[in-house]
Amino acid sequence: MVTYSESGVDIDLEAVTVDKLASKLKSTLKYRDIITDSGHYAALVRLGDKAIAMSTDGVGSKILIAKMMNKFDTVGIDCIAMVVNDILCVGAEPIALVDYLAVEEPNPEMASEIAEGLVKGAIESKIAIIGGETASLPGIIKDFDIAGTGIGFVDVDKIITGEDITPGNVLIGIESNGIHSNGYSLARKALFDDAGYAIDDKMPNGDTTIGEELLRPTTLYVEPIVRLFKENYKINGLAHITGGGFTNLKRLKKNVGYEINNLPEVPEIFKLIYEQNVPLKEMYKVFNMGVGFVVITEEEEADKIMETLKEYCNCQIIGKVIEEDKIVVKTFEGTKVEY
């Protein structure tokens, strides 16, 4: 069996590492009025009756796919998406971002392509890229790495942290367009190292190549979610489904659980990875499996919210909040996995 840890990424060890780091940094929180606990999607700093939301993230080893395809004009979109989608999860509207590009050696043509994606992602998200840093780091960086730090604003009385989530609430899942920007170490090991596929091999459906599917840029959820904010719907929680799959829901509120039993059709790229001897439980722990964002709301609000969302994207009720502190997911094979 092929697992994430065997591909070089140990999620559990990462969690311990983050906890060690975060525990040392908590002593700095006393200097400002910080609203959210560490571990949420974005941090919130109170400024009067408003709060600044901040989040930072990168694209990860998806850049290796970009290098394999010699195509760099989409990873900038991924960088924007990974940051702004997180900012949305506290009820904030993203407004600006700074980027960090670290390179082994300067490459103007590659940088220009990366910038194309950053601009496209910023335009779709309606944010300003207000600065950044480029560093040449031979001996430290291999090829390049890109990350971004974004900010957003929200009225304090409209912050969404997940504290209002209660059993019986429903989960509205918004579809992803594929693998987004997480789990690439496992995907590369399963597809290229173990199965022996090439980047330009056709997908089973024959419409695209494996490389094109893997490089498909992360969906930006800003427009539909900000529209929900403006409609003042009752939203109890928001989750960006990234690395960790549906265990991301645990970041919203402790001592509740989630039963997920009505997921949309799984994109073919996930089925292809699964066929390379990757356990189903691992698939749903690592990947988004076709749902990139989740809105948690009262059952009576769900129809109105979905009616608005469907003006922008595909969505459906995928499950509900339960009292037991666990996550149970019905897989595309009809079996259940539990976390």
Side-chain angles (χ1 to χ4, degrees):
M1 292 189 297
V2 183
T3 64
Y4 210 12
S5 59
E6 289 175 353
S7 68
V9 179
D10 188 326
I11 294 177
D12 296 329
L13 183 59
E14 276 191 0
V16 174
T17 303
V18 170
D19 285 343
K20 289 285 188 182
L21 181 62
S23 65
K24 298 290 186 182
L25 302 179
K26 280 186 178 179
S27 62
T28 68
L29 301 182
K30 62 187 177 183
Y31 296 110
R32 297 293 173 185
D33 189 352
I34 309 300
I35 298 172
T36 47
D37 293 330
S38 60
H40 211 296
Y41 284 97
L44 286 165
V45 185
R46 189 191 306 267
L47 289 176
D49 61 355
K50 293 190 179 293
I52 298 175
M54 296 187 66
S55 183
T56 189
D57 209 340
V59 178
S61 62
K62 189 171 186 174
I63 62 175
L64 298 177
I65 305 298
K67 184 188 175 187
M68 291 168 72
M69 296 186 67
N70 194 32
K71 180 176 169 56
F72 305 100
D73 61 347
T74 61
V75 291
I77 300 174
D78 291 299
C79 182
I80 299 286
M82 294 303 291
V83 174
V84 297
N85 288 346
D86 278 5
I87 289 173
L88 294 170
C89 294
V90 292
E93 180 175 356
I95 61 168
L97 178 139
V98 294
D99 66 274
Y100 175 70
L101 177 64
V103 297
E104 185 176 10
E105 59 181 7
N107 184 329
E109 291 183 4
M110 182 181 72
S112 178
E113 284 193 47
I114 292 171
E116 289 178 24
L118 288 169
V119 170
K120 187 172 182 179
I123 290 172
E124 187 172 339
S125 303
K126 296 182 174 60
I127 65 167
I129 300 178
I130 57 176
E133 170 71 9
T134 300
S136 297
L137 301 172
I140 298 176
I141 292 293
K142 176 71 172 167
D143 301 316
F144 75 98
D145 192 19
I146 185 171
T149 299
I151 60 171
F153 274 102
V154 59
D155 293 339
V156 170
D157 61 357
K158 293 184 178 179
I159 290 171
I160 301 168
T161 63
E163 64 181 10
D164 293 334
I165 294 172
T166 57
N169 286 173
V170 298
L171 279 62
I172 300 171
I174 305 177
E175 289 187 9
S176 72
N177 65 359
I179 196 170
H180 283 184
S181 294
N182 298 99
Y184 278 82
S185 294
L186 176 56
R188 287 186 293 107
K189 176 171 175 51
L191 295 176
F192 303 136
D193 296 347
D194 293 356
Y197 284 110
I199 197 76
D200 56 356
D201 282 346
K202 287 286 188 179
M203 288 288 295
N205 61 21
D207 294 334
T208 56
T209 67
I210 291 174
E212 287 169 339
E213 285 300 319
L214 292 175
L215 201 59
R216 192 184 294 275
T218 305
T219 303
L220 289 151
Y221 296 105
V222 175
E223 192 172 13
I225 299 302
V226 168
R227 170 73 185 283
L228 296 186
F229 297 159
K230 292 179 178 178
E231 295 288 347
N232 288 317
Y233 292 127
K234 180 69 172 72
I235 298 171
N236 293 344
L238 296 163
H240 183 200
I241 307 303
T242 55
F246 293 105
T247 63
N248 278 278
L249 295 166
K250 293 182 177 180
R251 302 168 72 171
L252 302 181
K253 185 177 182 178
K254 294 180 173 133
N255 302 319
V256 296
Y258 303 90
E259 182 180 348
I260 300 168
N261 55 17
N262 186 42
L263 291 171
E265 179 68 24
V266 174
E268 288 297 321
I269 187 64
F270 295 120
K271 293 181 180 179
L272 189 63
I273 294 169
Y274 166 63
E275 288 167 4
Q276 314 316 315
N277 204 26
V278 180
L280 270 177
K281 188 167 185 177
E282 190 79 357
M283 293 293 299
Y284 283 84
K285 184 179 180 182
V286 174
F287 300 111
N288 69 64
M289 299 305 288
V291 172
F293 205 89
V294 172
V295 179
I296 303 174
T297 187
E298 316 286 340
E299 187 174 6
E300 56 268 22
E301 285 279 287
D303 286 344
K304 293 185 295 184
I305 289 174
M306 287 195 294
E307 185 178 349
T308 299
L309 286 174
K310 285 177 181 178
E311 296 178 24
Y312 305 90
C313 51
N314 294 325
C315 67
Q316 64 191 56
I317 293 177
I318 61 170
K320 63 182 179 180
V321 181
I322 58 176
E323 291 185 0
E324 293 181 81
D325 187 5
K326 63 181 180 179
I327 296 176
V328 181
V329 184
K330 183 179 179 182
T331 73
F332 67 89
E333 289 280 343
T335 59
K336 291 184 178 180
V337 292
E338 184 175 320
Y339 306 96

